Amino acid sequence: MSELAAGFRLVRAGWVLVREGVVAALPGDELSGLPKFGWRMARLFTRRRALAYERGDRLAKAVVRLGPSYVKLGQFLATRPDVVGNDIALDLAMLQDKMQTFPQAEAIAAIEASLGRKVGELYASFGEAVAAASIAQVHIAETLQDGVGSRVAVKVIRPGVRRRFFRDLESYFLAARLQEKYIPSSRRLRPVEVTQTLAQTTKIEMDLRLEAAALSELGENTKDDPGFRVPRVDWERTGRDVLTMEWVDGIKMNDIAGLTAAGHDLKAIAVNLVQSFLRHTLRDGFFHADMHPGNLFVEPDGTIVAVDLGIAGRLGKKERRFLAEILYGFITRDYLRVAEVHFEAGYVPRQHHVAAFAQAIRAIGEPIHGQPAETISMAKLLTLLFEVTDLFDMATRSELVLLQKTMVVVEGVARTLDPTFNMWKTSEPVVGGWISGNLGPRALLADARDGASALLALARQAPDLAARTERLSREIDLMAEHGLRFDERTAHAIGKAEARHTRSGRLALWVIAVTLVYIAWRVF
C-alpha cells in the first residue's frame, strides 16, 4: 500500500508541475518520439496564466503548492547540476525557503520536549518567530549568565516535518528506480544513490545537534582566521529539535546598499569571502556548502559571519590534491598533467586514453588564456570540466559536485560585491600556499610518515590477517570442490527483492495510466 500511495503522490507532483507550466518550459523541441509527445501534452494541460511567467517563477509556484518537502528537494537538486543541468540548477537555487511560521505554542512545546525543561527556566525571554523555512523557524530570545543578559537565536524544528518528508521520500525513491530502469542513459548519474544522499543529508539537517556540531567544528577550524567566524553554540540549550546560538548583529551580504552606507570596503569583503572558502576547503577539507548571501552577515569591523550550517561539504586528502593539481595544471597550461590526475584518482575509467582526455581538457583551457583575468570564472571552469568528463564516462562524484556548486555561489556573491573581481589573483595566495605545502618536499615527508604509520598498523593486525587468510583458504577449497552455493536465506532475499522491484514498477505504471485517463476525462 505504501508503494501505491507513493505512486499517487508522484503522479500528483507531476500533475502540479504540468499545470504550473514547469514541464512546458523545458526545451522539448529537441526531443523526439514519446518524450516529445508527452511534452506537447504537458503544454496542452498548462494553465494559461502560467504561460506568462518565467521558468523560475513557474517552478517556485509549483514547489509552493507541493509543500516544504519539495522545497528541500529543489534546494538539494540545486547542488546537483550534473543531474538537472546548469540552467535548472540556477532556477532551483533561486527558490525562496520562506514558509509560514507555525504557532509559538508549538515551538515552546518542541523545545520543552527536546530539552526536558520549561522555556522559562531556559530563557529570560522568548520572542516570536523572526524567520521560517521548510524545516525550522528562528525565534529571538534572551539568556542570563551571571546576571548579564545575552540575545540568542533559537532554531526550532517544524512540527511534523520529519513524517511528511519521509512520506514524500518514498515517491522520490520510486521515481529514481523507474528512471534507472527505463532510462538507461541516466544510470551514470545514479539517481537512486542521489536520492539516498538526499535522505541522508536531510536526516542530518533535521537533527539540530548535528548542525550545532558542524558550527562547532568550523568554529574551531577558523578560530585564528582573520575576518571570518561562525556563531557560538549554546550547548546547554541545544537538542535534537532546538538549536540555540549567539545572535548575530550584522548586515546581510545581499544588502549592498546597507553595506555601502555602513562604510564597508566591498572589494575587501569579496576577497575575504573567497579566500576563507578556499582555506576551509583545501586546508580543512570541511566547508559551508550553503554560502548564499542570505546566510552571510558582515559585522561592523568587516568580519564575515556565516550562519545556517545545515549543509556542509567534506573533501578527503585525495580530493583536495585532485582539486589543487587541476587548478595548478590549468594555470600552467599543463593539460596532460590535469588528465593524468583524473586517471590517478580513478575518476576516469582506464579504457579511455590519457592523451585523448588531455585533448578534451585543452579545449577548455586554451580559450581561457588570453582573456582578462577578471573575466575568468573558476566556477565556470569546473562546470565545463565536469561536462567534458561526461564524455569519458566519469562517474558522478557528489563531493566534487557539491564543491563546484558552492564555488559557483561564492564566486557569484563576490562578483555582486565587486564586478571586476579577479578570481585567480585572489585565489593564488591560498591555492599556491597549499600546493607548496602539500605537493612539495614537505608533502613527501608527510606521505612517508603516513605510510610508516599504515605499515605499523598492518603489522599489528598480522595475526588476525593470518587467521582470516586460513579461513578464506578453506572456503575456497570447499567452493572448488562443491561449487558456489547460496544459503536459503540469501536466495529468499534475492527473490523477494526482485519481486518487489518488478511489482513496484508495474504498479506505478498502472497508477500513472489510470490517473492520466481520469485527467483526460475531466479535461475533455
Side-chain angles (χ1 to χ4, degrees), residues 214-428:
L215 283 167
S216 177
E217 181 178 352
L218 189 58
E220 288 184 5
N221 291 343
T222 61
K223 63 183 178 182
D224 297 323
D225 290 357
F228 183 94
R229 70 181 189 88
V230 293
R232 292 183 299 276
V233 174
D234 184 342
W235 284 102
E236 180 186 352
R237 298 169 178 85
T238 294
R240 188 184 74 148
D241 295 339
V242 55
L243 165 60
T244 304
M245 56 191 157
E246 162 197 6
W247 182 267
V248 177
D249 281 315
I251 302 172
K252 278 194 176 184
M253 205 171 282
N254 54 9
D255 184 4
I256 303 298
L259 292 172
T260 304
H264 289 293
D265 184 343
L266 300 189
K267 292 186 176 182
I269 293 173
V271 170
N272 183 19
L273 176 65
V274 169
Q275 289 188 346
S276 295
F277 168 69
L278 289 173
R279 199 176 291 118
H280 307 161
T281 303
L282 292 174
R283 181 194 64 196
D284 307 323
F286 180 67
F287 58 92
H288 192 311
D290 196 17
M291 294 182 74
H292 64 76
N295 283 342
L296 300 169
F297 291 82
V298 181
E299 294 185 309
D301 65 352
T303 298
I304 296 172
V305 184
V307 301
D308 195 2
L309 199 51
I311 304 175
R314 290 190 185 275
L315 291 180
K317 191 172 183 180
K318 183 178 78 170
E319 286 76 24
R320 282 182 272 165
R321 284 189 175 183
F322 171 74
L323 174 64
E325 287 214 59
I326 282 178
L327 295 177
Y328 187 72
F330 274 108
I331 292 171
T332 60
R333 301 173 75 174
D334 189 351
Y335 305 119
L336 181 60
R337 180 56 191 156
V338 174
E340 289 172 346
V341 169
H342 279 78
F343 280 81
E344 289 170 6
Y347 293 157
V348 177
R350 288 288 176 181
Q351 69 262 24
H352 294 289
H353 200 284
V354 176
F357 188 55
Q359 179 184 351
I361 298 297
R362 181 180 292 273
I364 298 172
E366 283 303 300
I368 290 176
H369 290 281
Q371 291 186 30
E374 62 269 16
T375 67
I376 300 174
S377 167
M378 187 183 295
K380 180 71 177 296
L381 184 147
L382 290 176
T383 300
L384 293 173
L385 179 63
F386 291 152
E387 289 177 358
V388 166
T389 55
D390 182 14
L391 301 175
F392 289 83
D393 305 315
M394 175 175 164
T396 299
R397 304 287 306 187
S398 58
E399 70 277 12
L400 296 178
V401 173
L402 184 60
L403 169 70
Q404 178 249 343
K405 173 262 178 186
T406 309
M407 189 172 288
V408 168
V409 173
V410 171
E411 188 175 354
V413 174
R415 291 192 188 278
T416 61
L417 296 169
D418 177 13
T420 62
F421 181 74
N422 187 328
M423 186 68 176
W424 294 102
K425 183 178 179 180
T426 302
S427 305
E428 195 279 330

Side-chain angles (χ1 to χ4, degrees), residues 17-34:
L17 293 174
V18 166
R19 291 291 284 164
E20 295 299 336
V22 177
V23 178
L26 299 176
D29 291 327
E30 301 174 3
L31 300 174
S32 61
L34 189 59

